[in-house]
Amino acid sequence: MKKNTLLIILSFIAIYIIWGSTYLFNKIAVTALPPFFLASIRFFVAGVIMMGLALILKQEVKISKKQLLNSLIASFFFLIYGNGVFVWALKFVDSGFGALIASTQPLFVLFILRFIDRKPFQKKSIIGVCLGMFGMYLLVSQKELITSKDTLLGIFMMLSCVLSWSYGSVFVSKAKLPKSYMVTTGIQMIFAGIGLSLMSLGFGEPWSSPLIWSIEVKVSMILLIVFGGIIAFTAFNFLLKKVSPEKVATSAYVNPVIALCMGWYFLNEQLSNQSIIASIILLTGVYFITSRKRK
């Protein structure tokens, strides 16, 4: 097996399994820490570690102004808005439910590519879009899940985050970025950490020392930094340059399965029959979209 092929396979495993578990760890951490403070610490620490590793491994750190600008733009769409606001919304929505909402990413990517590249939808894509939209309707129309206006707000903001992440995926696949994936990831995370800390201060969130965090929060934060940040996000940036953004988006129908199981097992989150049916329909739609032939 070629080295590049092995790296692609390992990278897919990372974005499938690791990112599926981050919904649980974010949910645990956000119940004790303010969301933007949580995200800023997670990304800034991970970014500093990534840049340190890049220097140790003698990666090409010097980049052009264009590469820096593109990295900052990607950081906003992926991390500051796409992830930071999503973590905030987890205060009002179960982790497994949030993962199902995030699974609509291939739908958003498909529409964005249709708008940018002006290519007609294939039959599989049309079927996938119809199934995906019907599945999403079944998912968010459950009265027992909408317990307050905050829940509706959380769902709406999550969908806007998915749109942000989807556009970021398309942007990165076409943009000129640093040759080193470690440098790309490090810059994006450091910038996100700074941006989210300013948002945290702007919203008046209380900051606290890690010394007073509970064991569960400390473990969750370490796992989010090392696995969810350094390993999985680097794998994500790598894949966006090696395979199509639609294929990278296939993580959207694996992550919810991982997140739903972990939320049910560790947090006792309930799964209604309608949620199960909706998730099956939704993920089937995603499958049709991502399995179509590329022209």
Side-chain angles (χ1 to χ4, degrees):
M1 184 181 295
K2 294 182 179 179
K3 181 182 178 181
N4 207 41
T5 304
L6 179 60
L7 284 175
I8 289 174
I9 292 173
L10 291 175
S11 295
F12 269 112
I13 291 173
I15 67 171
Y16 283 174
I17 308 300
I18 295 175
W19 267 354
S21 67
T22 57
Y23 293 92
L24 170 70
F25 301 131
N26 271 314
K27 182 69 174 181
I28 292 173
V30 82
T31 56
L33 301 175
F36 297 125
F37 171 67
L38 157 65
S40 68
I41 296 296
R42 170 192 174 186
F43 291 132
F44 187 78
V45 173
V48 170
I49 293 174
M50 284 299 298
M51 290 302 290
L53 289 173
L55 289 170
I56 292 172
L57 297 174
K58 297 182 179 180
Q59 299 281 313
E60 181 60 52
V61 179
K62 187 177 180 180
I63 61 173
S64 68
K65 291 182 179 179
K66 184 66 174 178
Q67 289 173 327
L68 176 62
L69 178 61
N70 287 340
S71 296
L72 299 186
I73 292 173
S75 177
F76 173 80
F77 286 118
F78 285 146
L79 304 179
I80 294 178
Y81 194 93
N83 188 278
V85 176
F86 196 97
V87 171
W88 171 84
L90 279 174
K91 291 170 66 73
F92 314 112
V93 179
D94 284 349
S95 62
F97 188 74
L100 281 173
I101 292 176
S103 72
T104 59
Q105 185 196 347
L107 294 175
F108 285 88
V109 170
L110 186 67
F111 280 113
I112 292 170
L113 287 173
R114 170 71 179 89
F115 179 76
I116 293 175
D117 296 336
R118 304 287 182 178
K119 292 180 180 178
F121 286 147
Q122 297 179 30
K123 288 182 179 179
K124 275 193 172 184
S125 297
I126 296 173
I127 295 172
V129 168
C130 292
L131 288 172
M133 294 179 69
F134 181 57
M136 178 51 61
Y137 167 76
L138 289 178
L139 191 65
V140 302
S141 64
Q142 301 176 76
K143 292 182 179 179
E144 61 269 25
L145 290 177
I146 311 301
T147 55
S148 67
K149 290 183 179 179
D150 286 339
T151 307
L152 282 173
L153 176 62
I155 292 172
F156 173 78
M157 294 308 294
M158 281 183 170
L159 286 170
S160 71
C161 291
V162 176
L163 175 60
S164 176
W165 191 278
S166 300
Y167 180 77
S169 298
V170 176
F171 173 80
V172 166
S173 69
K174 300 173 181 293
K176 184 178 181 181
L177 293 169
K179 293 181 179 179
S180 168
Y181 299 106
M182 296 179 73
V183 172
T184 298
T185 302
I187 291 173
Q188 290 181 32
M189 288 191 166
I190 289 174
F191 179 71
I194 295 171
L196 286 163
S197 66
L198 293 175
M199 289 176 65
S200 178
L201 292 171
F203 282 100
E205 291 183 344
W207 288 29
S208 58
S209 168
L211 297 176
I212 65 172
W213 296 349
S214 67
I215 295 297
E216 292 82 4
V217 172
K218 289 178 181 177
V219 171
S220 295
M221 185 66 86
I222 291 171
L223 292 173
L224 285 170
I225 290 171
V226 176
F227 291 97
I230 295 173
I231 296 176
F233 196 65
T234 302
F236 175 72
N237 275 304
F238 170 75
L239 287 173
L240 284 175
K241 288 300 185 183
K242 295 298 180 182
V243 299
S244 68
E246 305 102 298
K247 282 188 169 61
V248 180
T250 57
S251 62
Y253 61 82
V254 179
N255 292 164
V257 177
I258 304 296
L260 284 168
C261 292
M262 295 187 75
W264 167 77
Y265 186 81
F266 291 103
L267 301 179
N268 294 317
E269 294 179 351
Q270 299 301 311
L271 272 178
S272 67
N273 290 331
Q274 187 168 330
S275 287
I276 295 173
I277 294 171
S279 63
I280 292 172
I281 294 173
L282 178 62
L283 300 181
T284 301
V286 172
Y287 168 77
F288 270 98
I289 291 172
T290 54
S291 64
R292 75 194 195 287
K293 294 181 179 178
R294 298 191 73 215
K295 292 183 179 180

